[in-house]
Every structure is written in C-alpha cells, then in structure tokens.
Amino acid sequence: NKTSDTMGKKLNKMAFGFNGVTEDFLEELMIVLLESDVGIQTAEKICDQLKTTVDQYRYVTFKDVMAFLMEIMQNIYLESTDAPIVMNENGPTVILMVGVNGSGKTTTCAKLTKLYQSQGKKVGVVAADTFRAGAIEQLARWADKLGVPCIKGRENGDPSSVLVDGCRYAKEHNLDILLCDTAGRLQNKVNLMNELAKMRKVIGREIEGAPHHVWLVLDSTTGQNGLSQAKIFQEVTDVTGIILTKMDGTAKGGIVLAIKDVLHIPVYYLGLGEREDDLKPFDLDLYLYSISEGIRDVG
Amino acid sequence: MAFESLTERLNKAFKNISGQGKLTEKNMDDMLREVRLALLEADVNYKIVKDFLVKVKDKAVGQEVYTSLNPSQMVVKIVHDELVALLGEKEATLNFKESGMTVVMMVGLQGTGKTTSVGKITSLLKRKYNKHPMLIAADVIRPAAIEQLQTLGKEVGAEVFSLGTETDAVETVRQGLAHAKETGADIVLIDTAGRLHIDEALMEELAKIKEIAKPDDILLTVDAMTGQDIINVAQAFHEKLDVTGLVVTKLDGDSRGGGVLSVRSITQVPVKFIGLGEKMEDLDVFYPDRMADRILGMGDIMTLVEQA
Ligand SMILES: Nc1nc2c(ncn2[C@@H]2O[C@H](COP(=O)(O)OP(=O)(O)OP(=O)(O)O)[C@@H](O)[C@H]2O)c(=O)[nH]1
Ligand SMILES: Nc1nc2c(ncn2[C@@H]2O[C@H](COP(=O)(O)OP(=O)(O)OP(=O)(O)O)[C@@H](O)[C@H]2O)c(=O)[nH]1
Ligand SMILES: [Mg+2]
Ligand SMILES: [Mg+2]
C-alpha cells in the first residue's frame, strides 16, 4: 500500500539503533504522526500514552513499542463505538452527502450507487447541487452509466425542492436507497450551511426519519482544517459518518484519527480512485496496518 | 477550533525568561518550539518548518530587543518577515507573450479548482486586460467536465474548444491551438483533468501537452486546505513540468493555508492568483503579508507590532 510508504520507511529507519523510547524517539514518532496529518493534539496524546505504557516495563524491544503504538491508535479510534449503517425498514433510506468543494461527493454518490446495486438494492440519485456549473450533468452521466434514475431540478433552482421531488419519487417507485448529492460548501459560509440545515428538515418532512444518514465526504489530502469541517458540518447536519476519498494518492488521511478522537465520527468508506468501483469499506486494522506497514518486518 | 495566537503562546513560553534584553540561543529554543507548533497546526510541512526555524534562529539570536518590543513580539516580527520573504513577491502576472498567442495550462490534483480558475482567469483577462481568450477543454476523464467549462465559458464570454470525450486530451489540445490561431485568440487557457502526482500515465500526458502547446505559463492549483502531503504533490508536478506559477484556491474558507508555504518552498514560483469563492469574479492577486498573518493565525496583533 503506497499510502503508507513514507511513514513505514520512516519508522523503519527508527528501528535501527533503537534505544528505548527516548526523547529523540518520541520526537521522531511525533514527526511521523504529524506528517500523516494526525495533528498535534492527537499526536501528542499518542506519544504521551506510549511513554506511559513503556514506562511500566524495564525493557522493551522495538517490536513491543510498535505493538503498543498500534494498540494506542486503535484504542483512540475505538474509544467511541461506531454505529453500524442501519437501513430504513419502512421505506427508502435517504443518504445525504455533504462536504467542502471538490472533496468527491458526486463521484462517491456514483460509487455508493454501484455498491448498493451489487447488494441487490434499488437505488436512485438526486442532483441537489443546482449551483456548480455542470454538476447536474455530472451526476446524470453517472446515473445513466449505472442505470439508475436521477432526479434533477433546474440549474440555480432551490436544492430543497429537488430533494422533495427526489423523496417523492423514491416513495412512489419503492426505491431502497436515495443518494442525495449536494453542492460543495466551505463550512464557514453561514448561508450555505443554513441551506443545508433546511435541506435536512425538508427531507424529514417527506420521509420519516430522513435523512437516515448524513455522510461527510472528506478529501484525504486535507490538513488540520478537516477538524473544523467535521465539527461545523456535524453541528449543522448531524453528520453520522465520514467517507475518506482520494486514498489512492500519497496522503495518509491522518486527520480522520483526530476527528474520531475529538468528535467521535466514524469512517465508513474509503475512496480509492475515480471510477465507480473504487470504493472500499473502511477497515481500521488495514488503515492502521498501512501506517505501521514496514515496521513489522523489522521486528 | 480556536487557535491560540502565536504571540500569546510566545508570551507564555517567555514568561520564565523575561527580563532579559537579548534573544539568546537558550531562550530562543523555547520560543521556536512554539513557532514550530503554530506552523504545524497551520499545515506547513514538517520539513519546511524545520528549515524555516533554522533561518529564524540565525536572524534572531543576538538581536537587541527594541525597547518597545518584548522578546516574544520580536520573534513574531522576525517570523512574520521571514514568512513574507518565503511567500514571495506580490502581484505576479501571467507571462504574456510580447506578440502572438499566449498559452496557459492549468494542472493539479483532482478537485483543487482548475476548471473554476480557468473561468475566473478568463473573466479577469477580458475585464482588466481587454484580451480575447479561448479555452480548450482537455479534461476528457471527469464526467461532464467539458460541460462545466462550456457553462463557465458562456458565462464569461469566451469560446470553448472541445472534441468531446472520444478524442484524447493531447489531440484536443493540438487541434484547439490550431483553431485558436485561426480565430485570432490572443490567449489560450487549457483546462486539464485532475490527476494524482503518482499517476505516471497521466503525468506523461501533461508532459506531452506541454510539448505541443509550449505554454508560457503552467499554473499549479493548490487547495488551501491541503495538509502535509502537498510537498510530495508539488515536487512531482514541478519535476515533471517545471510549473511557472501557482493558483491557491478556496482561501475564502477558514483554513490556515500553510500548504502554500510548502509549495512555495518546493517550487520557488510565484503565487499568481488566489481563489476566494466559487463565482467568476472571486479571484484576487496574492498578498504575502496577509498570507503570513493567516498562517500564523494573527490579525490585529501584527499591526501592533508594526506600529511599535
Ligand atoms: N484519485 C481520486 N480521485 C477522486 C476520488 N474521488 C473523487 N475523485 C475526483 O475528485 C474530483 C472531484 O470529485 P467530485 O465528485 O466532483 O467532488 P465533489 O465533492 O462533488 O465536488 P463539488 O460538487 O464541486 O463540491 C473529480 O475529478 C473526481 O474524479 C478518489 O477517491 N480518488
Ligand atoms: N469556495 C471556493 N470554492 C472553489 C474555489 N475554487 C474552486 N472552487 C470549487 O471547488 C470545486 C472544484 O472546482 P473545479 O474547478 O471543478 O476543480 P477541478 O480542479 O477542475 O476538478 P477536477 O477537474 O475534477 O480535477 C467546485 O465546487 C468549485 O466551485 C474557491 O476559490 N473557493
Ligand atoms: Mg459535486
Ligand atoms: Mg476540472
């Protein structure tokens, strides 16, 4: 897994001349964590916990330390339990995709469509990004390719009214899942965030309990701003999960560990490319393993 | 997340050592640790931070503290000035050809704002420079990328050349340039598909486009929200293409934008434009001092220091 190459090599280098968990070692570890965008707060927490753990032993090998490290990161992630993705039993499950500009919402709608189709579900998509040039067209293309209905509104029209149409269509046609694509918005834009809150409310009036899921689509290249994104989107729309995109690059997406640590939002899927098949369920062990890969060989 | 301003942090770090009139190597280290944290929180790449701090330390150690500035203010000033220097000149414009058709090529990671920036720059060229731009839709990968550019082209009043998604990007550019010459365009902007810096085939495609288009400017779009990895991205794009300028997008957000510093350090090319929104007029020139303030998470504190 190339996403972990640099980090693996780094830690690998640290294995040579390992001399216990010294100040230097912790400093190096800190760098490694920061370079994966984990952020200072969470990185410091990990380093502190590692030190505390190791202090309980008289002698530790490099392998021990790495095992502790993995456990600590795992515990940080698992401190809050992840709700499983529950589908609505009494009608369509409505999933609202939210996030900042260009993070991968529309593409992820396509990927999820493909995934749920493969599970035998009847899927539809709603083009509620009426703002960005070519956004409706983009989702419509995907829908065509995947053979699912795409509920569209007018360009520059009210996104909430498109969502109402979408919900009604879903009920009438007995869809299992309705994926709602929304326009990208930066979290500090109050008007746009209010618009999102309104969309949420409107959907709830059409289908009971909707939206059943609100997924924040987060670009893995995002730095510390990801925390602010998660915080504000959560406040406004009750984000229930994160989809981490562009994990096929060299960014490590460490910010989601910080988000989980501080805001307890689980990660459900990883985006691994631009095609409809490039989606994988998030696997914590794999994610952390990819961070620790290369270290284990040294032992 | 409210970030503690650097000055507050430095004051804290300096509490124990105040009363000394000089910045010494010893009292500097505590303060530099705080500067380091502030820069890392702002997403400046770790390696860049390290080099930067060496420079700051060299500058600062041994300096007499101005009477009106306490040592932490002094450090802030040095850090700030050094950041401004690193961020480079302001108001760098496009490399317009003296005569003939100027060619600009937009490159970058997926979703960073290439297509939108092409539209914005086109709008600026028409409004402020009285140019006749033509756009080439060379993203045949992303669904509806061509339609997106066509919509923007219509909005800003520029022709968009496209051969659809069946013709590859290189051929589209080749024919697009010929068409631009025929129609008398004086500047051509090429919108390319977003790509990962590790995608060899697609990076090679950019090199081919560069070869036939011989662009006067190759602009790399950088999302202001990017984190540590941007250093790898910038390096790869610059190595392959020798980019000539940067467009920093999404600065209307609340990110600290430290990635800009990383990219500047790697490429040494100027930031030619900044994106401040989704609309066609949301483009501005780059102000290094404002960017430095932003990276340090400071507003009015700096003006106080300037007055001192
Ligand atoms: N490499 C890679 N590219 C991706 C991934 N997900 C999305 N992209 C690309 O990122 C770019 C932006 O994706 P979109 O789906 O349009 O993003 P968006 O969030 O809908 O964007 P806006 O609607 O403009 O806010 C496109 O070029 C996608 O092909 C991924 O997992 N990996
Ligand atoms: N808020 C804000 N949004 C921006 C800015 N620049 C671009 N965007 C938005 O970011 C998203 C992606 O922009 P695009 O221009 O499609 O990005 P791109 O690099 O062409 O994307 P691909 O072609 O898929 O690689 C869109 O939603 C744009 O409206 C900016 O300066 N501020
Ligand atoms: Mg979209
Ligand atoms: Mg584009």
Side-chain angles (χ1 to χ4, degrees), chain B residues 177-234:
Chain B
L177 289 167
H179 180 77
K181 276 189 191 123
E182 276 165 29
T183 58
D186 49 16
I187 183 161
V188 173
L189 291 97
I190 305 170
D191 181 33
T192 65
R195 66 203 72 213
L196 292 172
H197 53 295
I198 50 170
D199 188 327
E200 278 168 35
L202 283 183
M203 289 303 282
E204 193 50 41
E205 180 191 84
L206 287 182
K208 282 209 190 95
I209 292 177
K210 177 182 174 180
E211 205 177 294
I212 60 163
K214 303 194 174 48
D216 303 282
D217 256 315
I218 301 179
L219 303 180
L220 175 68
T221 52
V222 179
D223 184 326
M225 297 179 281
T226 38
Q228 298 283 317
D229 190 49
I230 193 68
I231 199 173
N232 300 318
V233 176

Side-chain angles (χ1 to χ4, degrees), chain A residues 2 27 31 34-35 37 40 44 100-102 131-134 137-138 141-142 155 184 186-189 219 221-225 227-229 231-232 246 248-251 262 274, chain B residues 1 3 36-37 40-41 43 45-47 109-111 141-144 147-148 151-152 194 196-198 202 223 225-229 232-233 250 252-255 276-279:
Chain A
K2 55 188 176 257
E27 176 101 10
I31 295 166
L34 288 175
E35 282 200 326
D37 292 314
I40 290 176
E44 271 176 351
V100 297
N101 306 83
F131 181 72
R132 209 208 67 212
E137 196 63 20
Q138 185 187 0
R141 287 282 163 80
W142 277 118
E155 245 176 73
L186 300 180
Q187 70 275 17
N188 62 333
K189 303 283 172 81
D219 184 330
T221 59
T222 308
Q224 299 312 295
N225 189 251
L227 209 50
S228 154
Q229 289 173 28
K231 187 166 181 275
I232 299 174
K246 312 185 192 175
D248 45 330
T250 51
V262 180
E274 300 191 66
Chain B
M1 287 306 115
F3 290 95
R36 174 170 167 265
L37 288 179
L40 288 170
E41 271 178 353
D43 291 321
N45 182 275
Y46 179 79
K47 294 189 192 88
L109 289 181
Q110 286 97 342
I141 300 174
R142 167 170 167 178
E147 284 80 354
Q148 183 186 4
T151 305
L152 297 179
L196 292 172
H197 53 295
I198 50 170
L202 283 183
D223 184 326
M225 297 179 281
T226 38
Q228 298 283 317
D229 190 49
N232 300 318
V233 176
K250 309 181 197 174
D252 46 322
D254 62 1
S255 65
L276 289 168
E278 299 190 67
K279 294 201 287 300

Side-chain angles (χ1 to χ4, degrees), chain B residues 70-82:
Chain B
N70 68 33
S72 37
Q73 281 175 321
M74 187 71 216
V75 172
V76 170
K77 186 163 165 47
I78 294 168
V79 167
H80 187 268
D81 291 351
E82 205 54 35

Side-chain angles (χ1 to χ4, degrees), chain B residues 23 78 86 146 182 260 291 300:
Chain B
L23 293 170
I78 294 168
L86 250 183
I146 296 172
E182 276 165 29
V260 181
M291 194 69 219
D300 7 331

